[in-house]
Amino acid sequence: MANQALHVLHVEDDFADAMLVQQAVCEAGDFDISFEVVRTLREAKQRMQAGGFDLILLDLRLPDSVHPTETLEVARSTAGNTPVLVLSGSMAVDRNHLGGEIASLDKNASFKSERGRKGINIAQSIRNAVDTDDFLSI
């Protein structure tokens, strides 16, 4: 059975990180997930308001929103019913600001495979997040 095609808004200011996510999805063999990348919270708000996404993949620290709680508040208020999945390299620091409501993994650790340990399957994480109404973090 083929995977359902998904359209993801990836809010990420670092081009290399955005490409890393796309490469990881392709390496997982999931070619039915397409990405639109925006680099600022302002751009993200405009695109979220336009709609048409199955998931918002959100970095917490952006050029126009460096505080994680601000980024989360804007995403929550703008995304509507679209699930939001937080993928951030600053989770070790930001976890204290976010409180206990969001489970999290640091993306820096998520993409590294240690010997004998497989890295996360970002494509499967995206697909799982689309099926939930919760605000998630990986």
Side-chain angles (χ1 to χ4, degrees):
M1 183 170 157
N3 284 329
Q4 170 191 358
L6 298 177
H7 190 55
V8 175
L9 177 63
H10 189 178
V11 185
E12 173 61 66
D13 62 318
D14 187 317
F15 180 74
D17 284 353
M19 294 305 298
L20 181 65
V21 168
Q22 292 179 34
Q23 179 181 354
V25 167
C26 288
E27 285 178 357
D30 198 331
F31 303 108
D32 291 325
I33 299 176
S34 64
F35 293 90
E36 181 175 330
V37 180
V38 295
R39 298 180 57 133
T40 66
L41 190 57
R42 181 178 177 200
E43 289 175 294
K45 280 178 62 175
Q46 292 171 343
R47 294 301 298 128
M48 282 188 263
Q49 289 170 340
F53 296 101
D54 298 297
L55 178 78
I56 311 300
L57 187 59
L58 180 69
D59 186 9
L60 292 176
R61 295 186 181 260
L62 302 165
D64 58 343
S65 177
V66 295
H67 200 279
T69 55
E70 175 190 356
T71 308
L72 285 173
E73 287 171 15
V74 170
R76 282 181 167 152
S77 66
T78 311
N81 293 330
T82 305
V84 178
L85 184 61
V86 174
L87 179 65
S88 181
S90 60
M91 288 311 298
V93 174
D94 294 339
R95 193 172 289 119
N96 295 332
H97 298 288
L98 302 177
E101 69 184 53
I102 297 177
S104 61
L105 292 173
D106 191 313
K107 76 176 169 187
N108 297 317
S110 299
F111 288 110
K112 293 179 184 173
S113 321
E114 296 175 13
R115 193 171 187 188
R117 183 181 154 265
K118 191 175 181 182
I120 64 163
N121 181 331
I122 188 76
Q124 191 58 52
S125 296
I126 287 170
R127 289 197 172 279
N128 291 344
V130 169
D131 294 331
T132 186
D133 293 329
D134 294 334
F135 196 91
L136 300 174
S137 176
I138 61 170

